[in-house]
Amino acid sequence: MKTIVFLTGSYFPDHSAVSNCIERVILQLEESFNIIVICPQTSTEQLLNEKHENHTIIRFRNKDIENKISRKMKRMFNRYSLLDNLVDGYLSEMEKIDNIDTIFPAIMPFETALAAMNLKEKNKKVNIVPFMFDPYSNNSNLHYNDVIKKIKSKSLMKLEKGLLENSQYIIFIHHLKEYFNKNYSKYKKKFVFIEHPLFEKKEYFIDNQKNDTDDINLVYTGSFYKKIRNPNYFLDIMDKVINKKNNLFVHLYYFGDCKKVIKKWSALNSNIIDYGSVNSNIAREKMQRADVLIGVGNLTNSQTPSKIFEYISFKKKIIYFYKNKNDRNINILKKYPYSLIIDESKGDINENIEKIIHFLELKVISNSDVNNKINILFNDANPNYISEIIIDKIAK
C-alpha cells in the first residue's frame, strides 16, 4: 500500500478552512493508501502522534503559533512571505517517514509547498500534488498589502513557477482557474480544477413537520472581521426580523475581531446569542441541528470561502448576505435551490426583511430530493469524485 502524506495547517480537532476540506477527501482515500497528515500543534493538549479514523496525524511544535506580532514581522521581511520554522517543521517530520510516494501540500499555508519541494530536492522519486485553495503570489492578505506584494512579486512568482514545475499535477479550486491559465499556460496539462470538497458522508435528517409556533434556529459559524466581513448589517436586519417574528433565534459561533459588535447586538436582543469561538466538531453539530444557516460575504473578491460549500453539504436552507456584487458565492447559491441571497447595498431594508420572513415560512423539502439535486449540481465538490481523480492519477 502506497504511503501518501498530506501537509496542512491546523488539523483535527481544530480544523482550518482548508484542512476541513482536505479531511473530506482523506476519509475517502484512507482505505486505499497509508495516509499520514503532518500539521503544526495548535495546543499543548494535542498529542504529537495519534490515530484519527484510519489515518495517522503527526504534529510538530511551532514556537510562533501564539505570537501574532512575531509571525507578521517574519512574513513581512521574508522574500516569500513564509515562516522558515514552519517549513522546517514539515520537512523534519517528512524526513522521518520511509518510502513516501506522494506529498499533497494543502495551500494555504504555502509553507507546505516549499517543504514538499525541499524534500523532493533530496528524493527525486517523491511526487508532489498540491491542493491549491487560495492564491499565493497575488494574495494581498498574505503579503499584507499591494505595495509589499509588488516589491516581492518576482520572488513570489519564481517560487510559484517552481512548484508547478516540480509537481506531478496540481489540483485547483475553480476560482484560481483564470489566474493560472493566464500566467502559467505552459503547465495547463497538469491542471485539475475542482470545487471545495465539503460534502459530508452522513445523511442529515431534515424535520419538515415544523409550524409557525415552533422556534426557528438560525446558525452562523465562521469568522467576522471589521474590514472584510462585518456583521453589522446582518445583525441589524435580523434584530428587526426577530421583532416581527419572535420565535426566531440567531446563534453565533465565530472568531475574529468583531466581539464588541456582536456583544452590542446580543445585549439589545436576547434572541441573538453570542457563543464566541468553538472547534470545528462543535460547529458542525450546531449546523446539523440548525433550521437555517446564515452566510455573510466578504468585501473583497479574491477568494471563494469554503464555508458556503460546507453549508450546502448540510442540505439546509441558507440565507446569504453579500456586500460585493462580484461575490463568487452568489452564482454558486443561485444554483442551490434552497437559498435566499440578500444584497446589503439595497436601499430599502424593509424589502429585505419581508424576503427573509417569507423565506423562513417556506416548507422544507425532503432529504432525498435535496441530495439528488445537490449531487447533480455540485458533482465536482463531491469527495468521492475528487478521490477517484487522485486514485486514477497516482495509479498511473
Side-chain angles (χ1 to χ4, degrees), residues 218 233-234 237-238 241 245 248 294 319 321 340 342 349-362:
L218 295 84
Y233 181 92
F234 147 59
I237 200 170
M238 291 314 304
V241 171
K245 200 172 177 65
L248 299 183
I294 300 289
I319 301 176
F321 296 83
L340 175 66
I342 298 292
I349 194 171
N350 290 318
E351 184 179 337
N352 281 341
I353 290 169
E354 292 306 315
K355 282 182 180 178
I356 292 170
I357 290 173
H358 174 71
F359 180 73
L360 293 172
E361 290 173 348
L362 293 175

Side-chain angles (χ1 to χ4, degrees), residues 106-349:
I107 303 165
M108 293 294 177
F110 201 84
E111 283 85 351
T112 60
L114 184 53
M117 285 190 285
N118 287 348
L119 186 72
K120 190 171 180 65
E121 282 186 11
K122 300 178 179 183
N123 181 358
K124 301 297 183 184
K125 292 182 179 180
V126 170
N127 296 310
I128 300 176
V129 179
F131 255 96
M132 287 202 72
F133 291 84
D134 300 306
Y136 170 62
S137 65
N138 61 333
N139 188 329
S140 296
N141 292 332
L142 174 65
H143 311 300
Y144 294 105
N145 59 58
D146 288 332
V147 174
I148 294 175
K149 184 179 75 172
K150 188 173 181 180
I151 292 169
K152 296 180 178 181
S153 61
K154 286 186 179 179
S155 295
L156 301 176
M157 292 195 75
K158 183 179 178 181
L159 185 59
E160 199 167 62
K161 181 181 178 182
L163 177 63
L164 301 183
E165 287 179 343
N166 282 283
S167 297
Q168 181 186 13
Y169 63 99
I170 308 97
I171 300 173
F172 295 102
I173 301 302
H174 283 304
H175 71 260
L176 298 175
K177 186 173 186 176
E178 182 179 352
Y179 171 80
F180 279 93
N181 279 346
K182 178 181 177 181
N183 291 282
Y184 300 105
S185 58
K186 176 183 176 181
Y187 304 101
K188 267 187 176 182
K189 289 183 179 179
K190 294 185 176 185
F191 296 172
V192 176
F193 293 96
I194 61 163
E195 201 39 89
H196 293 81
L198 277 171
F199 284 72
E200 300 288 329
K201 290 168 66 177
K202 298 176 182 177
E203 297 290 332
Y204 292 101
F205 174 74
I206 297 178
D207 183 359
N208 59 5
Q209 302 300 315
K210 287 186 174 296
N211 56 60
D212 290 338
T213 62
D214 292 332
D215 291 344
I216 300 175
N217 292 295
L218 295 84
V219 168
Y220 176 90
T221 68
S223 61
F224 285 128
Y225 292 101
K226 293 174 186 175
K227 294 182 179 180
I228 300 173
R229 191 184 297 155
N230 195 303
N232 248 320
Y233 181 92
F234 147 59
L235 292 171
D236 182 18
I237 200 170
M238 291 314 304
D239 172 63
K240 291 176 171 61
V241 171
I242 290 168
N243 288 337
K244 291 192 170 193
K245 200 172 177 65
N246 62 13
N247 64 328
L248 299 183
F249 293 85
V250 177
H251 306 270
L252 305 171
Y253 304 88
Y254 67 96
F255 59 93
D257 62 6
C258 293
K259 182 71 177 175
K260 288 183 180 178
V261 176
I262 292 166
K263 187 176 181 181
K264 178 191 80 172
W265 286 104
S266 62
L268 287 171
N269 193 321
S270 61
N271 286 24
I272 297 175
I273 307 166
D274 175 3
Y275 296 92
S277 180
V278 298
N279 70 39
S280 57
N281 285 340
I282 293 174
R284 283 183 200 150
E285 178 190 338
K286 302 305 178 184
M287 286 186 274
Q288 181 181 348
R289 293 181 179 180
D291 298 297
V292 181
L293 297 169
I294 300 289
V296 179
N298 293 343
L299 274 172
T300 60
N301 191 41
S302 60
Q303 296 168 261
T304 303
S306 60
K307 178 59 66 178
I308 211 66
F309 287 92
E310 187 170 20
Y311 276 6
I312 288 171
S313 72
F314 284 90
K315 299 97 176 175
K316 302 290 181 79
K317 289 182 180 179
I318 299 171
I319 301 176
Y320 187 73
F321 296 83
Y322 73 91
K323 310 170 193 302
N324 185 325
K325 66 179 182 180
N326 296 316
D327 187 328
R328 292 184 175 94
N329 283 333
I330 295 171
N331 287 332
I332 291 165
L333 284 170
K334 280 181 178 177
K335 294 195 297 181
Y336 182 71
Y338 317 109
S339 65
L340 175 66
I341 304 168
I342 298 292
D343 181 358
E344 292 191 8
S345 68
K346 203 168 186 67
D348 187 0
I349 194 171

